[in-house]
Amino acid sequence: MIDNFLNWLQNNEKSKNTIYNYKLSIQNYFTWFNETFGSNPVKLYNQNVKDYLQYLKTIKSINAKTINARLSALHSFNEFLIETEIQTDIVIHKNLKIKVQNQYTSPAQFDTKEINKFIQSILEEGNPRNYALVILLAYTGLRISEALNIRITADLFLESKELIIKEGKSNKQRTVLLNDKVINAIKNYLKYRETLKYNSSMYLFVSNKGEKLNRITVNNIFSKYSKKTGIDKIISPHDLRHFFCSYALESGFDVHEVAYIAGHSNIRTTLLYTNPSRQKMLEKLNKL
């Protein structure tokens, strides 16, 4: 049933990132249902969903934003069940969502010094691929899914210093300009890649086996070097996106420029980065 749901999402032109996240959410629901009732669900019931939400809140202590994201996946799953005539009614309503106060502080959780320390640790490791990836993320604000889907000949144009993003959120296409630091890192990586046994992939970032680099490997890399630098929290690929948006605004880019480069569909998302960080707010509070 889950596989059919994923195919349905693809047919409805959902992004790869949405499909991936919805898959995890539905799998989590199926796991809970199986552990609770000893079988897989054949349809959705309002009471079951309410019980599941209560389980997420009280037993798993999952935050409201994540719960709402899982609820969105279940709502989409509910629509799939109706369209495929497995179910006739919508059982997931808007009133199930938890109201979340709009975030005021900047989403950027790491300052420039911490990010530079993290990047330096990867540079010193001596792996051109890993260095090129983090430099690209930090100085373009790409989503990790966008970076991993870059094709060398179809999307990357080093001479004109351009990158075409064709598989971003909502399947929108945009052109991202690359600074000299990114260009040099990618060129060094491409030279190194030519010496590898497996170097024929059309994708820019590949694993040691020549396959397209995946999220799990990237997350392991970020975890390893976050710990190596002694930073209290793990820096994620998305944190580099936050860093770029915040750093670009501080460096003189206007909000509309950053919104376009980052591929934000709503300007209000970009405006969050003009707010002070949580740390700066705490510093001001401590002065009271």
Side-chain angles (χ1 to χ4, degrees):
M1 187 181 290
I2 294 178
D3 288 338
N4 290 336
F5 173 56
L6 299 180
N7 290 331
W8 180 80
L9 291 172
Q10 287 181 328
N11 292 334
N12 281 274
E13 299 183 343
K14 297 296 184 181
S15 70
K16 289 185 177 180
N17 197 44
T18 297
I19 294 172
Y20 174 80
N21 289 326
Y22 278 17
K23 175 184 177 182
L24 293 181
S25 294
I26 300 305
Q27 285 176 335
N28 285 327
Y29 177 76
F30 268 58
T31 298
W32 168 82
F33 194 96
N34 191 281
E35 290 176 350
T36 304
F37 304 106
S39 62
N40 289 327
V42 293
K43 59 184 291 188
L44 291 175
Y45 293 92
N46 182 268
Q47 187 58 54
N48 289 152
V49 174
K50 287 181 177 179
D51 291 342
Y52 177 60
L53 297 182
Q54 188 64 25
Y55 163 78
L56 294 178
K57 292 177 195 174
T58 59
I59 306 299
K60 302 297 287 185
S61 299
I62 292 178
N63 64 51
K65 187 175 180 180
T66 301
I67 290 175
N68 287 342
R70 293 195 182 182
L71 196 58
S72 294
L74 285 168
H75 179 76
S76 187
F77 186 62
N78 197 167
E79 292 178 332
F80 155 75
L81 293 176
I82 292 174
E83 192 167 313
T84 54
E85 299 182 349
I86 296 173
Q87 186 159 345
T88 59
D89 54 333
I90 287 286
V91 300
I92 299 174
H93 307 290
K94 290 183 178 180
N95 61 1
L96 289 176
K97 282 199 171 185
I98 303 171
K99 291 184 178 180
V100 181
Q101 183 177 352
N102 290 334
Q103 182 175 341
Y104 176 76
T105 58
S106 169
Q109 298 298 312
F110 298 93
D111 59 30
T112 304
K113 185 176 180 180
E114 290 172 321
I115 296 298
N116 285 338
K117 189 176 180 181
F118 171 75
I119 293 174
Q120 180 64 21
S121 71
I122 294 180
L123 173 65
E124 293 173 357
E125 174 211 22
N127 187 315
R129 181 201 65 190
N130 296 346
Y131 182 69
L133 177 61
V134 297
I135 286 293
L136 177 69
L137 295 176
Y139 292 96
T140 62
L142 293 185
R143 300 175 179 90
I144 185 59
S145 59
E146 295 170 340
L148 296 182
N149 281 316
I150 295 172
R151 295 164 296 178
I152 296 177
T153 58
D155 306 324
L156 184 62
F157 304 93
L158 295 179
E159 292 302 318
S160 59
K161 300 183 178 181
E162 292 180 336
L163 175 64
I164 308 300
I165 299 300
K166 300 176 182 176
E167 297 188 39
K169 193 173 184 180
S170 302
N171 292 318
K172 293 180 180 179
Q173 179 173 313
R174 70 185 190 279
T175 300
V176 177
L177 299 179
L178 307 175
N179 70 14
D180 290 341
K181 187 176 291 189
V182 175
I183 293 290
N184 292 333
I186 292 177
K187 283 183 176 179
N188 288 336
Y189 163 54
L190 288 175
K191 286 180 182 178
Y192 165 76
R193 197 180 120 144
E194 290 176 358
T195 67
L196 301 178
K197 181 178 179 181
Y198 305 104
N199 60 8
S200 61
S201 173
M202 67 177 178
Y203 293 102
L204 176 61
F205 296 107
V206 295
S207 69
N208 294 333
K209 295 181 180 179
E211 301 167 348
K212 185 174 75 168
L213 196 63
N214 61 53
R215 285 170 176 263
I216 295 175
T217 300
V218 172
N219 288 336
N220 289 338
I221 292 169
F222 274 68
S223 177
K224 174 182 176 181
Y225 288 96
S226 294
K227 293 174 182 176
K228 185 176 179 180
T229 58
I231 299 171
D232 292 337
K233 294 189 292 183
I234 301 297
I235 293 176
S236 70
H238 210 70
D239 285 317
L240 294 187
R241 177 170 167 82
H242 291 323
F243 164 76
F244 168 78
C245 294
S246 179
Y247 186 56
L249 289 168
E250 290 175 1
S251 299
F253 281 78
D254 68 36
V255 172
H256 293 280
E257 289 171 329
V258 174
Y260 175 77
I261 296 170
H264 289 153
S265 57
N266 192 323
I267 196 70
R268 282 180 288 186
T269 302
T270 318
L271 285 169
L272 283 173
Y273 294 96
T274 64
N275 294 335
S277 67
R278 182 176 181 274
Q279 183 59 39
K280 288 181 179 178
M281 289 182 68
L282 285 172
E283 289 173 0
K284 289 180 179 179
L285 285 169
N286 285 330
K287 292 179 180 178
L288 296 178

